[in-house]
């Protein structure tokens, strides 16, 4: 029992001393953090592009229309006063 515990402890100690274990070095942690940042930002960008593409499809295209002017000609109009002159 003690031999197996000593063997496991020795193995863990050896694993932490090797530079190939990238998660335990400062440079390895930086690289993993950068990979995580790139993955997260690219997924966010993809979600935003999907969201915007759906919004573009929902907006209908309306052709420009000519302004409509309404004019009515009914002849001369007279203003009558109550004769107060």
């Amino acid at each position: 029992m003690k031999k197996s515990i000593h063997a496991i402890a020795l193995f863990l100690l050896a694993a932490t001393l090797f530079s190939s274990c990238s998660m335990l070095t400062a440079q390895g942690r930086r690289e993993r953090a950068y990979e995580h940042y790139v993955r997260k930002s690219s997924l966010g960008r993809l979600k935003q592009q999907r969201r915007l593409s759906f919004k573009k499809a929902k907006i209908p295209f309306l052709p420009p229309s000519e302004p409509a002017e309404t004019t009515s000609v009914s002849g001369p109009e007279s203003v009558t006063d109550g004769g107060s002159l």
Side-chain angles (χ1 to χ4, degrees):
M1 177 84 172
K2 283 188 176 186
K3 285 186 179 184
S4 63
I5 293 175
H6 287 292
I8 292 173
L10 184 62
F11 176 75
L12 291 175
L13 180 65
T16 58
L17 294 177
F18 290 125
S19 62
S20 64
C21 189
S22 66
M23 283 300 294
L24 300 175
T25 63
Q27 180 67 27
R29 287 191 298 271
R30 279 190 292 254
E31 288 175 3
R32 293 273 301 170
Y34 180 71
E35 288 174 12
H36 178 73
Y37 165 75
V38 170
R39 190 179 317 117
K40 185 177 177 183
S41 63
S42 65
L43 286 176
R45 189 179 323 114
L46 182 65
K47 285 181 183 180
Q48 187 177 19
Q49 286 174 349
R50 285 182 185 166
R51 196 176 317 131
L52 291 175
S53 68
F54 286 128
K55 286 183 181 179
K56 285 182 183 177
K58 291 181 182 178
I59 298 174
F61 175 72
L62 299 174
S65 62
E66 295 293 325
E69 295 182 22
T70 57
T71 58
S72 62
V73 178
S74 63
E77 295 182 9
S78 62
V79 178
T80 58
D81 196 12
S84 63
L85 283 182

